[in-house]
Amino acid sequence: MTTPITQDHIDFYRENGFVKVDNMLTEEELELLREYLEEAMQTTSDRSVQTDKQGGLYYRVLNQKVNTWRDHAGMGKFSFHERFAQSALQLTGAGQIRLFHDHGLWKMPNDSKPTPWHQDTPYWPINEADQGMLSIWIALDDVNEKNGCMAFIPKSQKLGKLHGIDFLDPQNIFDYVEGGQLDDRKPVVVPLKAGSCTFHNGLTFHYAHANETDRPRRALAIIYMPDDITFSGASHPITNGLNLEKGDVLKGPLFPVLAVRGSD
């Protein structure tokens, strides 16, 4: 499987904890993804997880739906996309990559709030603190500082797991950083053209600007797990009800292997 990942992408990602990759999707794929995700975001079911309803406080930060592939067969084409997973495999150097979950991430127009600086790892029900889990974040629209593009703190993944942030009443994640460790790390704002993406480590500090425009900012994120990630026993919408025991490896029909080293 050919991917757009170069050695420069790999080196940058492993040093800084994030990387921008242009033109991950073709124009034809981008149009399909827009159509499928729009439909999936409007579907009501008990298979996916909607974070909040319109009018809710969290909705002002993110209109988010988790595991869209379980509602819409077309989303499986993208949530399981081999090009994306092979790219994650190359960036991490893992032996294999599994799906953890996908999520549609709409920042709604006009009344949007920023997504505060945070790490992803504290929200995941896993035992491994420095585990190499990562996300691809695919822009369905051109994004910049006016409509909700992402920003990252380079090398912040090297600080390890810190503290989950309340998106509605956010703490300052930098208060949990020992003095001086980020003094020379300035935020890097990453505007994207539609069809381009970023990858970021689950420990990397990141932020999304508010959407000040009159149109939704649409993105698809997919979270990937490398080998042998184990369940911590914590509550999480993806693992609740699966009868997992603490220490179990996250695998099975909801966490399929998407890429294996040596198979590309």
Side-chain angles (χ1 to χ4, degrees):
M1 167 61 65
T2 302
T3 77
I5 301 300
T6 66
Q7 189 61 48
D8 285 344
H9 287 126
I10 294 169
D11 293 344
F12 189 94
Y13 175 81
R14 294 183 185 178
E15 177 65 15
N16 294 287
F18 73 97
V19 69
K20 174 183 176 181
V21 183
D22 292 322
N23 303 314
M24 180 59 77
L25 291 177
T26 66
E27 285 296 325
E28 293 78 11
E29 288 172 328
L30 179 59
E31 286 305 311
L32 267 183
L33 178 54
R34 285 170 172 160
E35 177 184 348
Y36 292 165
L37 193 49
E38 190 78 37
E39 292 169 348
M41 293 293 282
Q42 295 174 9
T43 299
T44 301
S45 82
D46 58 2
R47 295 180 296 273
S48 63
V49 180
Q50 186 85 31
T51 304
D52 201 358
K53 299 282 194 299
Q54 187 169 357
L57 293 175
Y58 189 92
Y59 191 89
R60 298 177 67 190
V61 179
L62 277 177
N63 173 15
Q64 177 176 229
K65 179 173 276 193
V66 176
N67 269 356
T68 65
W69 67 271
R70 299 195 67 198
D71 282 342
H72 195 303
M75 284 304 302
K77 178 182 176 71
F78 296 97
S79 299
F80 303 159
H81 204 305
E82 189 178 2
R83 186 188 315 129
F84 306 165
Q86 284 287 351
S87 297
L89 190 82
Q90 292 179 34
L91 291 171
T92 61
Q96 66 179 28
I97 288 291
R98 287 185 183 271
L99 175 72
F100 182 45
H101 67 74
D102 71 25
H103 45 167
L105 298 169
W106 266 214
K107 269 197 176 292
M108 305 309 288
N110 302 317
D111 195 31
S112 171
K113 301 295 182 186
T115 307
W117 286 105
H118 66 284
Q119 299 173 303
D120 292 333
T121 300
Y123 304 100
W124 296 335
I126 59 172
N127 289 312
E128 294 76 15
D130 183 10
Q131 29 54 38
M133 286 178 67
L134 74 163
S135 298
I136 184 174
W137 193 97
I138 305 167
L140 276 65
D141 306 288
D142 293 353
V143 292
N144 56 37
E145 292 171 81
K146 292 294 186 183
N147 71 337
C149 77
M150 299 261 275
F152 303 92
I153 301 292
K155 306 180 185 178
S156 54
Q157 82 281 8
K158 298 179 182 182
L159 298 178
K161 179 180 174 181
L162 297 180
H163 194 279
I165 301 301
D166 184 340
F167 281 16
L168 301 182
D169 184 19
Q171 306 90 343
N172 182 354
I173 193 172
F174 297 96
D175 289 344
Y176 299 100
V177 177
E178 293 183 11
Q181 292 189 81
L182 290 180
D183 286 355
D184 61 343
R185 318 273 177 87
K186 303 302 181 186
V188 175
V189 177
V190 185
L192 293 172
K193 291 292 187 182
S196 295
C197 70
T198 57
F199 288 86
H200 68 270
N201 187 294
L203 295 171
T204 302
F205 290 19
H206 56 291
Y207 169 97
H209 295 77
N211 181 7
E212 301 172 8
T213 71
D214 59 1
R215 301 180 62 185
R217 183 228 66 189
R218 302 173 295 175
L220 172 67
I222 306 165
I223 301 171
Y224 298 113
M225 302 184 289
D227 317 65
D228 300 329
I229 296 297
T230 59
F231 180 56
S232 69
S235 176
H236 190 278
I238 296 301
T239 51
N240 292 348
L242 298 184
N243 298 317
L244 292 166
E245 297 290 337
K246 187 174 181 179
D248 284 351
V249 174
L250 290 176
K251 62 181 181 179
L254 295 183
F255 311 110
V257 173
L258 302 180
V260 178
R261 184 153 301 282
S263 65
D264 54 342

